[in-house]
Amino acid sequence: MERTHHLSELASLVATLRAQRQAARLVVRNADRLGLIHLYFGDGHLLHVEGHTGTPATVLRDLGTWYHGAVRVDAVSAPPPAAAPPEALDAALNQALTELEARGVVRPAPPSLAPSAASAIQRAQILPDLAAMGSGAAGLPPLVSPVSDLASGAPSRGGPTGTLDAASTDQGDHLSEPQWHLLALAVRQITEQMGQLLGVQMVDGVFRQALADGARRNACLAGLEMDSSGWLRAREAGFTTQLNRYAVIEAIADLITRFETHCAELLGEQRVQQLIASAVMPMRASLEQIGLVIKTR
């Protein structure tokens, strides 16, 4: 099952692939007219560009004029040979993104994925799990390992619908910056997926209410906020990494469970579970590694 992103997410996807420093391809398709671009990344740079308009420079200039489109992330064994210096391709892509952002077509990448923070999240693996995505044609992804398999005897928290659980093998660990960025991205994917059905404004309000409700009981959630671009972030720099890893993951599980419960009143429990599972499936394995388990019924 392939995950298709809106063109508005392009800057965040590019920043993420640069930070991951692994081989991948972005397939960008124009929804208004003929237009198809393949952007190949590796070692933190744009290495190769293929498009319908000619040279890489021409392709990227054309990209900067788009209004609507879709983006898909593909894993590749290795990108094609570089057709131009990576620095030049990166600069041309940055210019295209700047033009798209200036016209409101593309949302800026969050601060946590800015180039200055790239080295901090090289290990945040959020490319699709191809084995899992290819094992079923449609519907929910395969059942994930139960919490007891990840940490025998570790406490777990599941909400009314039981979609998320938190588990940790070492409750003395502190959450790292890469782990926090992965959690924030998972939350972002969930809210965007829900927003496609309920509307961005409604989802924004529901999520903020869920965060406010959770903050009354949880000190970790009290230190978080949703910024104006819809990203979950700490109110103070370094806040999340000062906390116990299990405590942060448990708080995020509680937050998404609250959000899930509110959305289920509008869409139904099963539909909401399917949406959440679909939204986080590309990063499911990485989330499990840090202790956040996505369950399905």
Side-chain angles (χ1 to χ4, degrees):
M1 185 186 301
E2 294 179 343
R3 163 89 163 115
T4 300
H5 302 263
H6 193 272
L7 182 61
S8 62
E9 301 176 67
L10 182 59
S12 292
L13 292 171
V14 168
T16 299
L17 292 179
R18 284 170 168 168
Q20 286 181 325
R21 304 181 70 84
Q22 58 187 139
R25 176 180 65 184
L26 279 185
V27 180
V28 191
R29 186 181 299 275
N30 195 313
D32 296 318
R33 55 178 171 81
L34 176 64
L36 180 65
I37 299 174
H38 288 180
L39 304 175
Y40 291 86
F41 291 84
D43 197 28
H45 297 283
L46 176 61
L47 300 179
H48 190 82
V49 177
E50 296 176 355
H52 67 287
T53 54
T55 67
T58 304
V59 170
L60 293 173
R61 279 199 299 270
D62 180 67
L63 175 61
T65 68
W66 290 19
Y67 283 92
H68 305 96
V71 187
R72 189 182 76 240
V73 183
D74 295 336
V76 296
S77 57
E87 296 78 9
L89 293 179
D90 281 332
L93 177 57
N94 290 343
Q95 180 60 37
L97 292 174
T98 298
E99 294 173 3
L100 291 169
E101 292 172 14
R103 292 189 287 109
V105 176
V106 169
R107 289 189 295 270
S112 61
L113 292 178
S116 60
S119 61
I121 57 175
Q122 291 176 10
R123 295 194 180 116
Q125 304 295 320
I126 63 168
L127 277 175
D129 182 341
L130 298 182
M133 294 173 70
S135 61
L140 295 174
L143 288 172
V144 299
S145 299
V147 173
S148 58
D149 288 347
L150 291 179
S152 178
S156 66
R157 288 178 63 89
T161 58
T163 299
L164 297 176
D165 270 315
S168 175
T169 56
D170 183 354
Q171 296 187 32
D173 288 345
H174 286 274
L175 195 75
S176 68
E177 282 293 327
Q179 291 168 342
W180 168 247
H181 297 150
L182 183 63
L183 290 171
L185 183 60
V187 170
R188 176 65 168 176
Q189 293 293 89
I190 290 171
T191 56
E192 288 214 336
Q193 188 95 328
M194 211 68 68
Q196 294 178 10
L197 288 183
L198 296 177
V200 175
Q201 290 186 340
M202 176 175 287
V203 167
D204 182 87
V206 170
F207 186 83
R208 290 179 188 276
Q209 184 61 53
L211 180 58
D213 291 343
R216 297 189 183 98
R217 299 183 179 183
N218 189 294
C220 176
L221 294 181
L224 304 178
E225 64 181 0
M226 176 185 276
D227 67 19
S228 59
S229 62
W231 285 85
L232 188 67
R233 67 179 182 87
R235 295 180 182 273
E236 299 180 1
F239 171 76
T240 55
T241 56
Q242 297 172 10
L243 300 176
N244 173 281
R245 176 166 64 98
Y246 176 75
V248 177
I249 294 172
E250 186 181 51
I252 295 299
D254 178 67
L255 172 61
I256 299 178
T257 297
R258 291 175 184 274
F259 177 68
E260 176 186 341
T261 301
H262 290 309
C263 291
E265 297 173 357
L266 302 171
L267 295 175
E269 178 180 313
Q270 184 175 6
R271 180 58 173 151
V272 171
Q273 283 194 5
Q274 290 175 335
L275 286 169
I276 291 177
S278 174
V280 301
M281 185 167 61
M283 61 195 80
R284 178 172 59 89
S286 296
L287 291 170
E288 288 180 13
Q289 288 177 2
I290 66 173
L292 188 64
V293 181
I294 296 86
K295 301 194 302 182
T296 59
R297 286 184 174 181

